[in-house]
Amino acid sequence: AVVSTQSTGIDDKETLLREKKQREEEQVRKEKEKAEKAEAKARAAREKLEKGKTNPLEMFQTDQYSAWDEQGLPTLDKEGKPVTQSQQKKLKKLQAAQDKLHKAYLQHISDIEI
């Protein structure tokens, strides 16, 4: 027995085309998301390298301070007042983070030159 599929054939074809279009749109959306994530990751890496350019020994050599110790940490503010213990602790922590960024930057530069 042969069953006629003419009436359902059109519906099936439209359904299949609609589903195919949805899959293609989903694929395009996923590829776009992937590209955006890759760009964001690359941008973050560039920004991190850019931050690493500053030598941690020189990062506090600003007009905000008037004297520094041998590690480059401020000892006196711009008015000549000693930097408080808590400020020194915060600055030392910032300098340690900058040291890590700077070492990564230097490593990246040396990797490029090789």
Side-chain angles (χ1 to χ4, degrees), residues 29-70:
R29 186 188 63 77
K30 284 182 180 181
E31 288 173 4
K32 185 178 177 183
E33 277 182 14
K34 188 176 180 180
E36 288 172 355
K37 284 181 183 180
E39 175 58 33
K41 189 175 180 179
R43 189 178 330 106
R46 284 192 304 271
E47 289 171 1
K48 188 174 180 181
L49 280 175
E50 191 65 33
K51 287 179 184 178
K53 284 184 177 181
T54 304
N55 187 328
L57 297 176
E58 300 168 355
M59 69 184 287
F60 299 116
Q61 303 285 331
T62 65
D63 59 0
Q64 218 175 350
Y65 305 104
S66 61
W68 302 266
D69 65 12
E70 61 278 351

Side-chain angles (χ1 to χ4, degrees), residues 86-102:
S86 63
Q87 281 179 310
Q88 284 182 336
K89 188 174 180 179
K90 287 178 187 176
L91 295 173
K92 189 177 258 189
K93 194 173 185 178
L94 288 171
Q95 190 182 45
Q98 182 62 30
D99 186 50
K100 188 175 179 181
L101 288 172
H102 189 64

Side-chain angles (χ1 to χ4, degrees), residues 3 5 9 11 19 21 23-24 26 31 35-36 45-46 54 57 70 79 85-86 91 97 101 106-107 110 112:
V3 179
T5 57
D11 291 340
E19 288 173 355
K21 185 177 179 183
R23 283 193 304 271
E24 289 171 352
E26 180 69 14
E31 288 173 4
E36 288 172 355
R46 284 192 304 271
T54 304
L57 297 176
E70 61 278 351
E79 286 110 29
Q85 199 77 14
S86 63
L91 295 173
L101 288 172
L106 294 175
Q107 181 65 45
S110 69
I112 290 174

